[in-house]
Amino acid sequence: MSWGTELWDQFDNLEKHTQWGIDILEKYIKFVKERTEIELSYAKQLRNLAKKYQPKKNSKEEEEYRYTACKAFLSTLNEMNDYAGQHEVISENMTSNITVELARYVQELKQERKSYFHDGRKAQQHIEICWKQLESSKRRFERDCKEADRAQQYFEKMDADINVTKADVEKARQQAQVRHQMAEDSKADYSSVLQKFNHEQHEYYYTHIPSIFQKIQEMEERRIVRIGESMKTYAEVDRQV
């Protein structure tokens, strides 16, 4: 389905949906970040635990570690240090490969989204201005037509009145002509504005909005792919370590 042709009247809903998509990304980034903090904290606790039970140098305790059981315990402590290092690697890799990259991507995504909806609102405002111009031209045309009719009726009334001077009749005739000309001018202007509006409306519904919505759809598809790739990376970091 193409959003440009199917969702032409869903501007507000698309705005909410794309914002939700960004919220999901930021939520996932926060989750991974908290996971890395836990990994570091756990590694630190493991290292502290291993250090706590390490034998002190040049002490009687160190001499005791010549025995096999003590050596085994020392190996356990060393293994714990290695295990802590693995958790540190997980934290580092998730930070560099997921949170840093996704945070940068989210900022780019926000700018891209802002640009598209700015263009969409601009197109909406333009078509609204064109509509207002059309309505204004229509009202002016209707008003001038009524004024022309009244002027014509007044002239005919004056022309039929034998008590009215020729000068007054001529004045009424000229006024009627002026009003008729104004009505004709308003009609021509209304016709021109109507043609312009029809053209702009066609461009709005069949060119501008479809183009913007298509870009938004592609942006959303890239976002979905990106978060999917990040989830694969998340699993891969664990698997590799």
Side-chain angles (χ1 to χ4, degrees):
M1 182 183 75
S2 173
W3 290 9
T5 55
E6 301 290 336
L7 305 179
W8 57 269
D9 61 342
Q10 298 296 311
F11 188 91
D12 292 341
N13 286 334
L14 281 183
E15 194 169 22
K16 292 176 183 177
H17 177 75
T18 51
Q19 180 58 52
W20 170 83
I22 289 175
D23 292 342
I24 288 293
L25 265 178
E26 291 183 326
K27 185 176 184 180
Y28 182 69
I29 292 171
K30 185 179 179 182
F31 158 73
V32 177
K33 186 177 180 181
E34 289 186 15
R35 162 78 190 272
T36 61
E37 290 170 352
I38 289 172
E39 293 291 347
L40 284 179
S41 176
Y42 183 45
K44 183 178 180 181
Q45 291 180 65
L46 290 178
R47 288 193 185 282
N48 288 338
L49 181 62
K51 184 179 179 181
K52 179 179 178 181
Y53 286 91
Q54 286 284 347
K56 296 178 176 63
K57 290 185 178 182
N58 302 319
S59 66
K60 182 182 178 182
E61 186 182 18
E62 190 176 35
E63 293 180 8
E64 294 173 350
Y65 273 76
R66 292 176 298 168
Y67 297 99
T68 55
C70 292
K71 286 181 179 179
F73 181 42
L74 188 60
S75 294
T76 299
L77 296 177
N78 291 334
E79 182 64 26
M80 184 178 291
N81 264 321
D82 292 341
Y83 190 50
Q86 292 176 358
H87 286 278
E88 287 168 347
V89 170
I90 288 175
S91 177
E92 290 168 6
N93 290 347
M94 285 188 175
T95 297
S96 60
N97 297 335
I98 299 177
T99 56
V100 172
E101 292 297 321
L102 271 189
R104 185 184 301 114
Y105 174 68
V106 165
Q107 293 307 311
E108 294 171 356
L109 184 63
K110 286 180 177 179
Q111 289 300 317
E112 184 179 6
R113 175 182 175 274
K114 182 179 179 180
S115 173
Y116 294 149
F117 282 101
H118 175 267
D119 292 343
R121 288 193 189 89
K122 190 175 179 180
Q124 281 185 330
Q125 290 170 358
H126 179 68
I127 201 67
E128 288 172 1
I129 290 172
C130 290
W131 170 253
K132 289 178 181 178
Q133 289 175 342
L134 178 65
E135 286 293 293
S136 177
S137 180
K138 180 183 178 182
R139 288 193 297 270
R140 185 165 56 251
F141 170 54
E142 291 173 343
R143 183 182 67 247
D144 288 347
C145 284
K146 290 178 181 178
E147 291 293 333
D149 287 341
R150 278 197 288 267
Q152 181 64 29
Q153 292 172 6
Y154 180 72
F155 162 66
E156 291 174 356
K157 180 181 177 181
M158 294 288 283
D159 191 41
D161 191 344
I162 58 174
N163 297 320
V164 177
T165 64
K166 288 184 178 181
D168 288 337
V169 172
E170 180 62 19
K171 183 178 178 181
R173 185 185 66 79
Q174 291 178 357
Q175 184 65 22
Q177 286 181 338
V178 169
R179 289 296 181 181
H180 278 298
Q181 186 59 49
M182 289 176 64
E184 287 297 318
D185 292 343
S186 294
K187 180 181 178 181
D189 178 70
Y190 176 56
S191 177
S192 174
V193 173
L194 179 60
Q195 288 180 357
K196 178 184 176 183
F197 175 77
N198 288 337
H199 171 74
E200 294 293 342
Q201 184 174 241
H202 185 275
E203 289 292 300
Y204 175 81
Y205 286 114
Y206 292 95
T207 301
H208 298 319
I209 289 300
S211 175
I212 292 169
F213 281 13
Q214 184 63 35
K215 291 175 183 176
I216 293 173
Q217 180 178 1
E218 292 169 359
M219 177 191 73
E220 273 294 283
E221 290 170 351
R222 289 195 302 273
R223 178 190 63 80
I224 293 168
V225 170
R226 190 63 179 268
I227 195 171
E229 291 173 346
S230 294
M231 289 179 174
K232 288 180 181 178
T233 301
Y234 179 89
E236 187 65 13
V237 166
D238 267 334
R239 190 193 68 79
Q240 288 177 351
V241 172

